[in-house]
Amino acid sequence: SAVISQKPSRDICQRGTSLTIQCQVDSQVTMMFWYRQQPGQSLTLIATANQGSEATYESGFVIDKFPISRPNLTFSTLTVSNMSPEDSSIYLCSVNKGGNYGYTFGSGTRLTVV
Amino acid sequence: KQEVTQIPAALSVPEGENLVLNCSFTDSAIYNLQWFRQDPGKGLTSLLLIQSSQREQTSGRLNASLDKSSGRSTLYIAASQPGDSATYLCAVKGGANNLFFGTGTRLTVIP
């Protein structure tokens, strides 16, 4: 299965600022996803990162707040913009090769907004 | 919409006990089911992947079963150890690459 390197592992940020999270995969994968896990909650899909085109966002998430880049099949970034304390969560990237393959997740970014 | 439920929400057992975690889902039209482990503040580690055509998968002290028709899966952990303490999540893969997560079971193994 793929190996994902996710950075940073954690950060404490001031409200109103932005943070960019990076995920690097050790092999080419078609599908890459970004999730949010709010404190005490399960995972919620933010968007699917598409290579060469705009990301596909889930209901409740917008590009202005969570811009995503996917310049190639091994790399993606998620930016959390104009942060507020409500954005304090764990953010995770994930990949899947499609079909009956399972999902692989990054090690997560624990974000605290003060 | 697929709904995934895990019971119990939390479980505390003494070291050495065998235990079972439960996962149920409402729509049996799934590609596969995956069990994950999550340590506090960390990402997800895949433990076992069961395809929709399979009944069970084993890895070391872990055994996962799948009964697709009844919408149930169990994760059996043998001879539990303190290092097994974590939150365990099940997730089912539906069509269009949708992954539906359960609410998780927080396991504490007491030395």
Side-chain angles (χ1 to χ4, degrees):
Chain A
S1 59
V3 176
I4 303 174
S5 174
Q6 183 173 342
K7 297 177 182 179
S9 58
R10 57 170 53 200
D11 207 340
I12 301 174
C13 300
Q14 297 292 322
R15 66 175 67 202
T17 63
S18 298
L19 175 71
T20 296
I21 302 167
Q22 300 181 2
C23 271
Q24 178 74 52
V25 190
D26 69 343
S27 59
Q28 293 186 340
V29 289
T30 305
M31 287 168 284
M32 206 159 183
F33 309 91
W34 287 96
Y35 286 84
R36 180 176 74 181
Q37 186 179 31
Q38 294 177 299
Q41 304 293 316
S42 194
L43 280 74
T44 301
L45 180 64
I46 297 171
T48 301
N50 303 309
Q51 192 267 331
S53 64
E54 248 182 40
T56 304
Y57 289 84
E58 297 298 306
S59 176
F61 298 96
V62 295
I63 187 171
D64 289 346
K65 176 67 176 177
F66 297 102
I68 288 170
S69 77
R70 181 92 193 269
N72 56 52
L73 292 176
T74 63
F75 186 79
S76 179
T77 67
L78 168 75
T79 298
V80 186
S81 303
N82 189 25
M83 289 185 285
S84 67
E86 292 70 34
D87 294 319
S88 297
S89 298
I90 299 172
Y91 292 86
L92 302 107
C93 63
S94 175
V95 300
N96 184 265
K97 295 184 178 181
N100 292 332
Y101 285 93
Y103 285 74
T104 301
F105 282 80
S107 53
T109 296
R110 189 171 190 173
L111 171 63
T112 302
V113 183
V114 297
Chain B
K1 182 186 174 183
Q2 178 77 269
E3 292 184 6
V4 183
T5 305
Q6 290 185 245
I7 295 173
L11 181 64
S12 184
V13 300
E15 181 177 2
E17 265 201 15
N18 303 324
L19 58 101
V20 175
L21 308 181
N22 297 290
C23 173
S24 62
F25 47 96
T26 55
D27 186 351
S28 61
I30 64 171
Y31 279 87
N32 54 48
L33 182 145
Q34 217 168 340
W35 282 94
F36 294 93
R37 167 189 173 133
Q38 185 177 32
D39 293 296
K42 302 295 185 181
L44 275 62
T45 300
S46 180
L47 298 173
L48 289 164
L49 171 69
I50 311 178
Q51 302 298 340
S52 61
S53 59
Q54 296 176 323
R55 297 285 291 181
E56 65 177 338
Q57 282 287 332
T58 298
S59 176
R61 294 184 292 110
L62 305 179
N63 176 276
S65 69
L66 174 64
D67 184 342
K68 199 175 71 164
S69 61
S70 67
R72 294 183 182 181
S73 176
T74 62
L75 178 66
Y76 175 83
I77 301 177
S80 58
Q81 303 171 357
D84 295 330
S85 298
T87 296
Y88 291 80
L89 294 162
C90 73
V92 296
K93 182 179 179 182
N97 296 304
N98 291 325
L99 188 65
F100 299 93
F101 280 91
T103 46
T105 294
R106 188 172 69 252
L107 172 65
T108 302
V109 181
I110 303 166

